[in-house]
Structure formats: C-alpha cells, structure tokens
Amino acid sequence: MSSSTQEPSPSSPSPRPYLVTVGEVLGVLSAPEPGPLGLGSALRLGIAGAESNVAVGVSRLGGAVTWIGRVSEDDLGEVILRELRAEGVTTLAVRDPAPTSLLLKERRTATHSRVTYYRTGTAGGRLSPRDIPEDVIAGAAVLHVTGITPALGDGPAEAVRRAVDIAADAGVTVSLDINFRSLLWSEEEATAVLLPLLARSDLVFAGPHEARLVTGGQDALGLAKGICALGPRDAVIKLGAEGALALLDGQQYRQPAIPVRVEDSVGAGDAFVAGYLAELIAGEPPERRLKTAALLGAFAVSTTGDWEGLPRRAELALLDHHDDVVR
Ligand code: KDG
C-alpha cells in the first residue's frame, strides 16, 4: 500500500537461533469485573494477538524473537510496538493509516469470558506478502504462524503463505497453530486455506476440534497420526486440563497439565506453544519442551490477561512441582 511505510528494524534479527512470527496485534478492552457490560463499566486497555503472545512468551524465557505485522500509525500502534519492544521482541512493522483492531473481552461470569472483535478495515487485515522480508524468514530457526492471520483476508492469507513457502524452501522449521476462530471464518473456509499450509509445516499444534478440521481420528493419538499423515513430522494435540498428547518424529508423549486455579483461560494455548517453541530453539529434548509448554499454560490460566502473567525462566520453578512427562 502506497501510504504504508516499512520502518527500519530497531535491531537486526539476532545472530542467535531465533523464532520469527507473523500476525496481528489487537487492542484489548477487557472488563476487570465479572458481569454484563453497562454504561460506565470500567474497561482496561491491553494488547494481545495469538502470534505476539507466543513472541512475548518465548522472549521472557530468553529466546530471540522477531514479530512481523502491520500496526496503525496512531497512539495505539505506538503502544503495541513499545510494549513488544519492551518485552525484548524485535518488531518489523509496517505502519498503516488504518486503525488497530479491537477485541472486547467481557467476563460474563467468573469463569466464562466472551469476546467480540472490531476487526473490519483495520491495519492487521491489510498485511500483504510484500510485508514479508525474505531474509528474516529464511534466517530463522523456526517460523511460527497461526490460523488466525489467514482468516483476516486474502492479503494476510497470502502473506502467511509466502512466509511458510520461504521458510519451507530454506529448511526453516515451520510451526502452525491451527487456532480456529469461528467468529472470523467458517470451518469449510478454514479447512481449505489451512490444509496447504499444514502440508508445508513441520510441527502442528491443535485442539481436538481444530484437528478434526483437517483430519479424522477417534482420540488424540488418532488425530496426531492423521495430522502427521498430511506431511508434518510433529503434531501436538492440546487437551486443556488433560494436558497434551504429542507425536514427535513417530514417538508418542503425554504431558499432564499442571493443576492450578483458573483465573482466565484465554491465552493458555499460545502460552503452551511459547513454552514448547522456546525450548525447541534452545535445542532442548521433547520432554523438556512439553513440560515447559505445560508450565506456561498453567501460568497463563492462573493469571489474568493473555500474556501478562507469563514467567521469566527463573520463575518456572514456582509451578514446577509435579510429575514429569508420562510416556
Ligand atoms: O489466543 C488468544 C488470542 O485469541 C487473542 O490474543 C486474540 O489473536 C487473537 C484472536 O484473534 O483471537
């Protein structure tokens, strides 16, 4: 877009093995108190996005991360970039005259959140394949994408496809979290767009319902096998309070969830992925990746906000007093 400008990177991507991700960051207006919204309800401003949640989670564990996306030229765009950079994430952002998307998060009851998107004609939805720098993708250890960005429109879908193609051609590990959002597209649309991306991915994260968008299977193991039959070497089925089942290079792993009191479950899946990917780029073995993934999921659900409560590495021990991986 002619009115957009690629701003210079504040720092070039790290010489260390780094994760790169592509997506949208939204402004989040969340009601701190449970109950219906009314005139005068307090709303707290935050930011979130599936891919940026992962970026922050990886960065807090000491991993090098680059986030690519579009943000508005206004103050909200500024807040987003400032916050990500403060979290140690390298940002490669196109500033766009369109506004930032908003997400309204009501706590309808103490345990049930309701989300409404204001996401039409916004900066993140104007992402284009031209915004994807080939060298940054090809130089990464891992590219992480989700099924949310391709749901935002043709441009974002093309941009994600381009990133995945560059990575796959360069031998960069491609990680895909299916992250189906029924408010953004239908199951049929999602399946048609995600299947080709999945076929070029090495590692796929999905909940059972999400896995069934792309394959059949009775149970978690059947779903993981179904995903791997489509091309990926590794599949991780996220099972919420029941932990996760992973099929990694043909070997099966089960990771129990870490029991904690649930404050706010939104963001738990992203946190899980962040824990896994942080250990992957650190060269850690599967058991460690899954354990850290479960720990980050536990931190996410036991604190409010998608990413604000995620731990630094030294804090992992706070919740780490349960059994290791059961194989
Ligand atoms: O996983 C949490 C995300 O859903 C949230 O941060 C916002 O990216 C988001 C989305 O599109 O729902």
Side-chain angles (χ1 to χ4, degrees), residues 26 48-50 53 103 117 119 148 181 266-267 270 306:
L26 306 95
N53 294 344
L103 183 159
Y117 293 126
R119 217 167 188 175
I148 295 176
R181 294 288 181 270
V266 181
D270 301 335
D306 287 20

Side-chain angles (χ1 to χ4, degrees), residues 114-147:
R114 192 160 60 187
V115 157
T116 312
Y117 293 126
Y118 299 86
R119 217 167 188 175
T120 307
T122 49
R126 287 157 44 115
L127 190 74
S128 125
R130 291 190 308 279
D131 302 337
I132 306 298
E134 185 164 354
D135 54 337
V136 176
I137 304 287
V142 176
L143 166 72
H144 176 66
V145 296
T146 81

Side-chain angles (χ1 to χ4, degrees), residues 210-230:
E210 294 171 333
R212 288 196 179 91
L213 295 177
V214 292
T215 185
Q218 289 295 317
D219 54 10
L221 179 59
L223 292 168
K225 284 183 176 165
I227 287 174
C228 291
L230 296 166

Side-chain angles (χ1 to χ4, degrees), residues 39-302:
L39 209 59
S41 292
L43 291 171
R44 177 184 163 275
L45 175 64
I47 63 165
E51 300 85 359
S52 59
N53 294 344
V54 170
V56 171
V58 170
S59 179
R60 285 200 181 175
L61 292 183
V65 195
T66 295
W67 174 87
I68 298 168
R70 281 195 180 224
V71 296
S72 54
E73 287 171 343
D74 59 8
D75 282 355
L76 195 44
E78 212 45 59
V79 167
I80 287 169
L81 292 183
R82 216 167 43 223
E83 201 60 41
L84 291 183
R85 288 170 186 163
E87 288 291 341
V89 175
T90 299
T91 57
L92 288 179
V94 174
R95 303 304 296 266
D96 192 295
T100 290
S101 296
L102 290 176
L103 183 159
L104 181 62
K105 192 167 149 195
E106 296 166 75
R107 293 186 69 191
R108 190 57 192 84
T109 70
T111 53
H112 187 84
S113 296
R114 192 160 60 187
V115 157
T116 312
Y117 293 126
Y118 299 86
R119 217 167 188 175
T120 307
T122 49
R126 287 157 44 115
L127 190 74
S128 125
R130 291 190 308 279
D131 302 337
I132 306 298
E134 185 164 354
D135 54 337
V136 176
I137 304 287
V142 176
L143 166 72
H144 176 66
V145 296
T146 81
I148 295 176
T149 304
L152 301 178
D154 292 345
E158 260 309 303
V160 171
R161 257 194 298 276
R162 175 166 152 75
V164 167
D165 283 343
I166 294 167
D169 291 346
V172 173
T173 298
V174 177
S175 160
L176 166 70
D177 187 347
I178 290 187
N179 249 337
F180 175 66
R181 294 288 181 270
S182 60
L183 294 176
L184 296 178
W185 56 359
S186 69
E187 295 193 353
E188 294 69 28
E189 288 169 315
T191 302
V193 172
L194 294 179
L195 266 177
L197 290 177
L198 184 140
R200 298 217 79 190
S201 300
D202 301 287
L203 164 64
V204 174
F205 297 92
H209 174 72
E210 294 171 333
R212 288 196 179 91
L213 295 177
V214 292
T215 185
Q218 289 295 317
D219 54 10
L221 179 59
L223 292 168
K225 284 183 176 165
I227 287 174
C228 291
L230 296 166
R233 184 188 55 232
D234 301 332
V236 183
I237 308 297
K238 297 185 271 186
L239 300 168
E242 284 161 43
L245 176 135
L247 192 62
L248 308 176
D249 216 359
Q251 174 126 18
Q252 187 191 148
Y253 300 81
R254 279 185 187 271
Q255 173 63 53
I258 313 287
V260 285
R261 206 182 84 189
V262 177
E263 283 291 330
D264 174 8
S265 61
V266 181
D270 301 335
F272 181 96
V273 171
Y276 188 98
L277 294 179
E279 301 294 24
L280 181 67
I281 58 171
E284 295 295 341
E287 292 86 348
R288 178 73 181 270
R289 295 178 219 153
L290 290 164
K291 180 68 179 282
T292 304
L295 282 167
L296 258 69
F299 270 96
V301 300
S302 57

